[in-house]
Amino acid sequence: MSDNTPKSLQELSTEDVLTAMKSDLYEGNVNELTEEVRECLRRGMTAYDTMTRGLIAGMGIVGEDFSDGILFVPEVLMSARAMKGGMEILRPLLAETDSPKVGKAVIGTVKGDIHDIGKNLVGMMWEGAGIEVINLGNNIDADTFVAALEEHQANILGMSALLTTTMPYMKTVIDMLKSRGLREQTIVLVGGAPLNATFAENIGADAYCSDASVVIEIAKNLLAIKRGEAA
Ligand code: B1M
């Protein structure tokens, strides 16, 4: 006779814990999801792997079903809330660093756009790499981006857009940087699911960042070039 008693998390294989995490992200079960995140860390998985193999992979499934009309905004909001719960646990680990501060970045999601999960992950990755981050939040207009760069004397601007309707606003921000004489001294990096390298080039950004795995290297390479060092 088979034993149908549900297994505790500790009894599951790591792959099954990750599957449970994706499923709880999908269902918006924040308490279960945070336990699964903790269990992965307890097993020695890195914060980065837990984030990419669990949380980001889970959000990919949510995105597909949102596109296909299987999930709607209220359900996706529940998933986003669960994702944030998981990220809060990972945040201190991703941001943990002994490295000296190598740069200062202002980051935000552009005007008209409230998607902030990817942008927040990028901010955490940078913090962990010794880049000080001023996270402005979402729905940020050009004046606010420029004022923050000036106030904090930041040398990197990171902009995120998840909607095809909001991505053109990145050019508005870059044009304002130019008109204020700040473009040359600022490294402008852009990212978000609908963007690509051609778009980044066309609007005059320094680089397109496809995902959180590349943001540190791209920022550090461009900082080195600005300092006149070989990248
Ligand atoms: Co929205 N949404 N959404 N949504 N949502 C998308 C983006 C969409 C693709 C879903 C779909 O239909 N398939 C679609 C856009 C279609 C389009 O424009 N072509 C869409 C839509 C249509 C909408 C609404 C219009 C829906 C409506 O109201 N009818 C509405 C718009 C609201 C607004 O912004 N004005 C809306 C609302 C929402 C929620 C509020 C419910 C929620 C957001 C919650 C939140 O962020 N706090 C939400 C979500 C969660 C999504 C999906 C499902 C997931 C986005 C996400 O968090 N991904 C998304 C589907 C999808 O993307 N496949 C979708 C996980 C995250 C880790 O990935 O953000 O791509 P991502 O970030 C990556 C990279 O892109 C990169 O690194 C990150 C980490 O690897 N990156 C950067 C991102 N920003 C960067 C900045 C950088 C560098 C790299 O700077 C240097």
Side-chain angles (χ1 to χ4, degrees):
M1 220 171 82
S2 68
D3 177 9
N4 288 331
T5 319
K7 285 185 174 175
S8 71
L9 266 187
Q10 290 74 17
E11 291 173 286
L12 296 179
S13 69
T14 302
E15 270 320 308
D16 285 345
V17 177
L18 286 166
T19 302
M21 194 191 301
K22 286 181 263 191
S23 164
D24 282 317
L25 181 85
Y26 191 95
E27 300 293 337
N29 298 330
V30 66
N31 293 336
E32 290 82 350
L33 178 134
T34 51
E35 280 315 306
E36 285 136 13
V37 167
R38 288 199 177 92
E39 179 62 22
C40 284
L41 297 174
R42 206 184 56 75
R43 292 176 187 213
M45 261 176 86
T46 62
Y48 182 77
D49 276 352
T50 308
M51 175 179 93
T52 50
R53 292 173 60 192
L55 299 180
I56 295 184
M59 194 48 104
I61 303 168
V62 171
E64 280 166 26
D65 282 2
F66 191 23
S67 285
D68 293 344
I70 297 166
L71 291 180
F72 296 94
V73 169
E75 288 124 332
V76 178
L77 271 174
M78 297 283 284
S79 297
R81 193 175 64 102
M83 174 122 185
K84 286 188 174 180
M87 278 161 56
E88 276 317 304
I89 298 170
L90 301 179
R91 184 194 178 93
L93 301 170
L94 290 168
E96 212 167 63
T97 179
D98 295 332
S99 31
K101 293 282 174 251
V102 293
K104 201 186 263 191
V106 161
I107 190 167
T109 305
V110 297
K111 186 176 166 185
D113 201 323
I114 61 167
H115 297 87
D116 63 358
I117 295 171
K119 178 262 302 169
N120 290 341
L121 289 179
V122 171
M124 289 178 202
M125 297 297 291
W126 276 344
E127 281 174 2
I131 296 172
E132 190 179 335
V133 174
I134 295 104
N135 189 338
L136 299 179
N138 56 42
N139 191 23
I140 303 302
D141 65 17
D143 277 319
T144 309
F145 275 121
V146 171
L149 282 166
E150 285 177 328
E151 180 191 342
H152 299 282
Q153 298 284 299
N155 46 7
I156 302 174
L157 170 63
M159 286 188 282
S160 180
L162 266 285
L163 299 172
T164 43
T165 48
T166 56
M167 51 193 261
Y169 192 76
M170 291 175 163
K171 183 171 183 312
T172 306
V173 181
I174 294 175
D175 288 346
M176 188 178 279
L177 282 183
K178 286 181 187 159
S179 69
R180 299 277 182 87
L182 291 171
R183 179 65 190 91
E184 287 308 307
Q185 70 202 54
T186 310
I187 294 168
V188 180
L189 302 176
V190 294
L195 278 63
N196 57 41
T198 310
F199 171 79
E201 194 181 341
N202 288 344
I203 62 167
D206 290 301
Y208 159 66
C209 304
S210 56
D211 57 59
S213 70
V214 300
V215 292
I216 295 174
E217 201 187 339
I218 292 177
K220 284 194 164 174
N221 282 346
L222 290 171
L223 282 167
I225 291 170
K226 276 260 184 259
R227 284 194 302 266
E229 298 162 12

